[in-house]
Amino acid sequence: MLKDREVSEILAKECAQQASVLRMIASENIVSDDVLAALGSCFVNRYSEGYPGKRYYQGQAHTDALEQLTCARAKALFGAGHVNVQSYSGSPANMAAYMALCGVGDRIVGLGLNSGGHLTHGWKVNFSGKLYEAHQVEVNRETEHLDYDEVAALCRQVRPKVLFIGTTSYSLALDFARLREIADECGAYLVADIAHVAGLVVAGAYPNPVPYADVVTLTTHKTLRGPRGGMILCRSEHAKAIDRAVFPGIQGGPHMNQIAALAVALDEAQQPAFRAYGHQMVANARALASALTSRGLRIVSGGTDCHLMVVDLRPKGVDGKRAAMALEESGIVCNFNAIPYDPNPPRMPSGIRLGTPSLTTRGLKEAEMIRIADWIVEVLDAPEDAATHQRIAASIHNFLSAYPNRH
């Protein structure tokens, strides 16, 4: 119990809420007690600007050992030539990748936001769309699949310095070998953003881009089940440029308590149980997608190869914002999300995004996904019915009592 009563009360309420609802935000997960302990360790007191052996502050013997251990674990897990673990989060990691590989005003190609890409892949309101001449590739309008021939055609036309491909809501596996061919053809660097699927890559449940990409960026939470933070993997020839882009390019001292927690999470990811966990996330997502489809909903791109999916709600006549609010009232927490070529505005899109990381961590499997699909459809059939929402929320609260909010 903290001495600060107000913060203690908020923390207690948050813990209770997380335990009592179906957390289906694709970018959220549940860290272990060991990760949490490392995050709150004495390393929070340490300022460690620079890199191991080249710090700008004294007293760094243990921070150097910690950072070297963390990098070694990450290199072994992903098979990378070089690793930088200092990025504060995914967006700074992406910014560092751009800074290392191209200059302001250079051409870049990325996946469009509504097609499942990220803001940092060249969206016009983001730094990536303002500092660089950004061109966006979109999924095929009919199939909602990424058409690699279209990517190649755009790259031949644009001749980008960087082809930056990653996903936040595109649910199908990427063909990194084909993307490498496209990058080579137009003389571009290939950057793969695996923020969402890093844990699946480690588990062998999703293709590993490391053999193909010049640089790979990722977040350390989400499917990797670590603390909030970012990480950059790259070929050895880009190591110096990447490190200089992170520090002193865009950051000061690293968050050593976050790196300590990451070291613990990477050790957990080396264990056989994590491989099973990664495959279960995908199995759960596919079971949920199939159940929702059989109940009249449409999954964007026709299915999923990972831990998430976007659901087109137009068959139910409800927009994503209203649906997300009704689901939250019913004990199901997700986010509203645009679909490709969405006719609706961003704040009231046509879809929702659902993810399985937190549910899988709690021990839910395919059979439970079918039950969850029934609850989701029941809410969507009565988005304004408060009584229905309260009844389902109570059912979910009771249901989750058998699944501890931890691992």
Side-chain angles (χ1 to χ4, degrees):
M1 187 71 173
L2 302 178
K3 293 179 180 178
D4 188 323
R5 182 174 299 176
E6 291 174 299
V7 174
S8 291
E9 290 177 355
I10 294 172
L11 287 173
K13 290 177 181 177
E14 174 65 17
C15 288
Q17 182 196 50
Q18 289 188 20
S20 62
V21 301
L22 293 168
R23 291 173 57 225
M24 303 188 73
I25 302 290
S27 49
E28 291 186 355
N29 212 326
I30 305 165
V31 301
S32 68
D33 291 345
D34 285 351
V35 169
L36 198 60
L39 192 62
S41 70
C42 60
F43 274 110
V44 75
N45 301 323
R46 179 62 70 188
Y47 196 85
S48 307
E49 192 175 86
Y51 290 103
K54 300 177 181 179
R55 305 287 185 184
Y56 288 82
Y57 294 78
Q58 299 308 115
Q60 304 296 325
H62 305 303
T63 57
D64 282 4
L66 175 65
E67 187 166 342
Q68 289 167 335
L69 173 65
T70 310
C71 288
R73 288 178 175 178
K75 287 174 71 174
L77 269 176
F78 290 95
H82 179 73
V83 174
N84 185 300
V85 296
Q86 291 196 8
S87 294
Y88 297 150
S89 195
S91 293
N94 287 350
M95 178 179 281
Y98 285 117
M99 289 186 64
L101 300 177
C102 61
V104 173
D106 281 346
R107 296 187 185 99
I108 63 173
V109 167
L111 183 61
L113 192 65
N114 284 9
S115 289
H118 190 254
L119 288 167
T120 55
H121 300 169
W123 192 243
K124 56 187 176 182
V125 301
N126 184 258
F127 79 87
S128 58
K130 292 181 176 182
L131 298 182
Y132 306 99
E133 184 185 318
H135 299 262
Q136 302 270 268
V137 63
E138 306 292 347
V139 295
N140 182 275
R141 187 180 289 270
E142 299 301 321
T143 65
E144 296 174 330
H145 292 196
L146 185 62
D147 187 322
Y148 294 95
D149 290 339
E150 291 182 11
V151 177
L154 178 61
C155 287
R156 280 193 293 268
Q157 174 188 346
V158 171
R159 309 295 296 184
K161 191 71 174 290
V162 173
L163 172 56
F164 209 112
I165 292 291
T167 64
T168 61
S169 60
Y170 183 72
S171 57
L172 303 182
L174 295 177
D175 185 346
F176 294 112
R178 179 73 174 103
L179 290 166
R180 177 75 262 169
E181 292 175 357
I182 294 169
D184 287 342
E185 182 185 352
C186 65
Y189 293 113
L190 175 63
V191 179
D193 180 348
I194 58 168
H196 265 274
V197 297
L200 303 182
V201 169
V202 167
Y206 191 95
N208 185 358
V210 170
Y212 306 101
D214 292 281
V215 175
V216 176
T217 63
L218 58 106
T219 52
T220 54
H221 43 293
K222 300 174 184 162
T223 57
L224 193 54
R225 209 158 60 178
R228 291 192 60 85
M231 186 158 59
I232 304 174
L233 319 172
C234 68
R235 294 178 173 178
S236 298
E237 60 263 34
H238 303 305
K240 184 175 180 179
I242 287 292
D243 286 351
R244 287 182 62 83
V246 174
F247 171 82
I250 61 173
Q251 295 183 182
H255 298 165
M256 293 309 302
N257 59 318
Q258 179 269 331
I259 292 175
L262 173 58
V264 175
L266 292 173
D267 182 63
E268 293 174 350
Q270 293 177 16
Q271 308 309 315
F274 192 89
R275 184 176 182 86
Y277 167 69
H279 285 271
Q280 189 64 56
M281 272 190 283
V282 177
N284 282 350
R286 286 174 169 163
L288 179 63
S290 177
L292 291 172
T293 300
S294 69
R295 287 155 178 76
L297 290 165
R298 191 183 76 84
I299 306 301
V300 170
S301 301
T304 181
D305 295 326
C306 62
H307 63 299
L308 62 78
M309 71 208 70
V310 174
V311 184
D312 182 354
L313 301 176
R314 290 177 297 175
K316 292 292 183 182
V318 60
D319 65 76
K321 178 66 172 179
R322 287 175 60 221
M325 292 174 65
L327 287 165
E328 182 179 14
E329 292 169 359
S330 307
I332 304 169
V333 181
C334 65
N335 65 278
F336 56 88
N337 206 96
I339 64 172
Y341 307 100
D342 201 326
N344 286 356
R347 295 292 299 176
M348 195 175 291
S350 300
I352 55 173
R353 185 182 65 165
L354 302 172
T356 59
S358 296
L359 302 186
T360 308
T361 295
R362 294 184 72 163
L364 279 68
K365 295 187 177 180
E366 292 93 330
E368 287 75 38
M369 296 303 111
I370 296 171
R371 188 171 185 181
I372 290 168
D374 286 332
W375 279 322
I376 290 172
V377 171
E378 193 172 354
V379 173
L380 296 178
D381 284 338
E384 309 298 335
D385 188 344
T388 295
H389 304 166
Q390 291 172 4
R391 174 177 53 78
I392 293 174
S395 297
I396 288 173
H397 184 276
N398 292 333
F399 166 75
L400 287 174
S401 63
Y403 301 94
N405 190 45
R406 59 182 300 179
H407 77 85

